[in-house]
Amino acid sequence: EVQLVESGGGLVQPGGSLRLSCAASGFTFSSYWMHWVRQAPGKGLVWVSRIKNDGSDTNYADSVKGRFTISRDNAKNTLYLQMSSLRAEDTAVYYCIRVRGYNGFDSWGQGTLVTVSS
Amino acid sequence: QSALTQPPSASGSPGQSVTISCTGTSSDVGGYDYVSWYQQHPGKAPKLMIYEVNKRPSGVPDRFSGSKSGNTASLTVSGLQTEDEADYYCSSYAGYNTEVVFGGGTKLTVL
């Protein structure tokens, strides 16, 4: 069974940093591109970032470019999202997602809540 | 403001069919056959219902179908059941720079 388990969310002050982790199991993690998508409370889904299966290529939404860094450790079957210079508008549930093809997000974690507030 | 436009709400009675539209541009929906649809129940993670316009992952009932014409994609739910009541989001690949765009979501009510 495919499982994605996020961790690392919490309350952080504006301007602060946080690192999210996503532990993957039940599939060959190193074969899949992975994404992060977020959802602000009561709002819709917003794409955040993507990383190729071997980590050689990454991409970001304009709203997080230069502040967030996606990475992965295929030996540990773990995906990361390093977030810095956090703003109130970054407050959201962050989902770790496995993708099939270009945007078939076929497996989602349970999400981890990041709250940016003073 | 979301990149893809969906109606905020849709409804139907049990057994009926309902279609949810998703309008984009030639840079996303119209330019690629990479449209997907997600179902989200309150407090839960989204679930993939349709990918690559009209493909169903295993386990998704064939009551759910997808299509696309020009810059507009559609999700049709036939034989509505009470458990279909949820939020539905469309998504499209949008090229390397933008990568993925979502619609604002449609709340489906089964009356």
Side-chain angles (χ1 to χ4, degrees):
Chain A
E1 178 194 4
V2 173
Q3 276 203 315
L4 297 168
V5 180
E6 301 97 335
S7 60
L11 176 63
V12 60
Q13 292 189 338
S17 298
L18 212 55
R19 188 177 84 155
L20 306 183
S21 299
C22 171
S25 61
F27 65 103
T28 306
F29 180 68
S30 60
S31 296
Y32 286 84
W33 294 31
M34 299 292 293
H35 292 246
W36 289 97
V37 165
R38 69 186 182 186
Q39 186 171 34
K43 302 296 184 182
L45 302 170
V46 176
W47 176 74
V48 173
S49 184
R50 181 269 298 159
I51 187 166
K52 198 174 172 183
N53 61 310
D54 62 359
S56 63
D57 188 65
T58 61
N59 204 1
Y60 301 90
D62 286 344
S63 59
V64 307
K65 203 169 290 184
R67 301 188 299 122
F68 289 13
T69 302
I70 189 172
S71 63
R72 64 192 297 161
D73 185 335
N74 285 345
K76 294 183 177 180
N77 290 340
T78 303
L79 176 72
Y80 302 100
L81 185 68
Q82 178 68 48
M83 305 184 295
S84 61
S85 302
L86 283 162
R87 308 165 180 166
E89 53 265 36
D90 295 318
T91 294
V93 173
Y94 285 73
Y95 292 103
C96 159
I97 305 164
R98 186 183 83 166
V99 65
R100 62 189 301 176
Y102 278 94
N103 82 325
F105 296 144
D106 67 352
S107 295
W108 296 62
Q110 84 285 356
T112 187
L113 176 62
V114 173
T115 302
V116 184
S117 175
S118 55
Chain B
Q1 188 171 351
S2 302
L4 306 180
T5 301
Q6 297 180 235
S9 63
S11 63
S13 300
Q16 289 187 332
S17 295
V18 65
T19 297
I20 300 171
S21 63
C22 170
T23 302
T25 69
S26 58
S27 297
D28 37 64
V29 174
Y32 307 93
D33 286 334
Y34 293 117
V35 176
S36 53
W37 289 90
Y38 302 88
Q39 176 192 67
Q40 186 178 35
H41 287 109
K44 301 292 187 183
K47 174 186 176 183
L48 177 66
M49 305 303 283
I50 297 287
Y51 68 102
E52 293 176 7
V53 177
N54 56 17
K55 298 179 181 177
R56 271 188 315 275
S58 60
V60 173
D62 60 5
R63 303 185 293 103
F64 291 84
S65 62
S67 62
K68 190 186 85 166
S69 178
N71 296 337
T72 298
S74 299
L75 172 73
T76 298
V77 186
S78 306
L80 274 172
Q81 299 183 3
T82 54
E83 58 261 37
D84 298 333
E85 185 162 296
D87 293 327
Y88 289 83
Y89 294 90
C90 63
S91 175
S92 175
Y93 180 69
Y96 183 82
N97 286 337
T98 306
E99 190 110 8
V100 176
V101 289
F102 283 97
T106 298
K107 182 175 182 62
L108 175 62
T109 301
V110 181
L111 303 169

